[in-house]
Every structure is written in C-alpha cells, then in structure tokens.
Amino acid sequence: MCLLFLRMIALACIILALTQPESRIERSDYNVEGIDIILAQDISGSMMSEDFKPNRIEAAKQVAMDFIDGRANDRIGLVVFSAESFLQCPLTIDHGQAKESFK
C-alpha cells in the first residue's frame, strides 16, 4: 500500500514537471532615467528639540516627504542613525513605501 502511494506521488511529480507550470504574474519592464538617492535621517534624542514646530525630527520628515514627491523617476532609500546606523528602506522606485518608512 505504502509503495503504491509513493509511486503515485512520484508519477504525479513527474507529470507536473513535464507540464512546465509558469507563473501568471505579468512583469512589466520600463526604462526611465533617474538617479539613486539615499536619505540619512538622524533619530537621536537631540532631534526632539522643539526649536522647529512641532520638533526637529517631524520637520525633517516633512522636508523629506516633499523631496520624495519631487523625485518621480529616482530610486529612494533611507538610512537612519543615532548611536548606530541601519538601512530602514533599500533603494526603491515605490515612493509610497519610501515615505512609509519615515513613520
């Protein structure tokens, strides 16, 4: 019984491999000229100073959002730092995702 079951599974796998299944997800290629930009954001405690309204970090976020909105064909990424730095958002053409990484 077990041997018959294993043979049927093997046969099903062979048949599936021979049919060469393909993904139905369509891929669109496009060529645009743009540049790669990595923004650096300071997230240390000094950015909470309220010499800008509401504070420095919120003011910097707003400037970055406006900057991203003006860069239609560029790939944008984000590095944040305080005592250490790390990649918050890799280079992407998805500006919505880049802006979301500032939150």
Side-chain angles (χ1 to χ4, degrees), residues 57-75:
I57 199 163
E58 292 301 322
K61 285 179 184 179
Q62 186 57 50
V63 169
M65 299 291 178
D66 295 341
F67 178 79
I68 291 171
D69 287 338
R71 309 301 299 195
N73 295 326
D74 298 334
R75 293 192 311 168

Side-chain angles (χ1 to χ4, degrees), residues 40-76:
Q41 173 71 50
D42 183 1
I43 58 171
S44 65
S46 66
M47 292 297 285
M48 298 308 284
S49 295
E50 294 187 1
D51 51 348
F52 291 97
K53 294 295 178 197
N55 57 32
R56 289 180 183 179
I57 199 163
E58 292 301 322
K61 285 179 184 179
Q62 186 57 50
V63 169
M65 299 291 178
D66 295 341
F67 178 79
I68 291 171
D69 287 338
R71 309 301 299 195
N73 295 326
D74 298 334
R75 293 192 311 168
I76 307 287

Side-chain angles (χ1 to χ4, degrees), residues 7 14 17 26 84 89:
R7 285 183 181 171
I14 290 171
E26 291 187 28
E84 296 181 16
C89 177

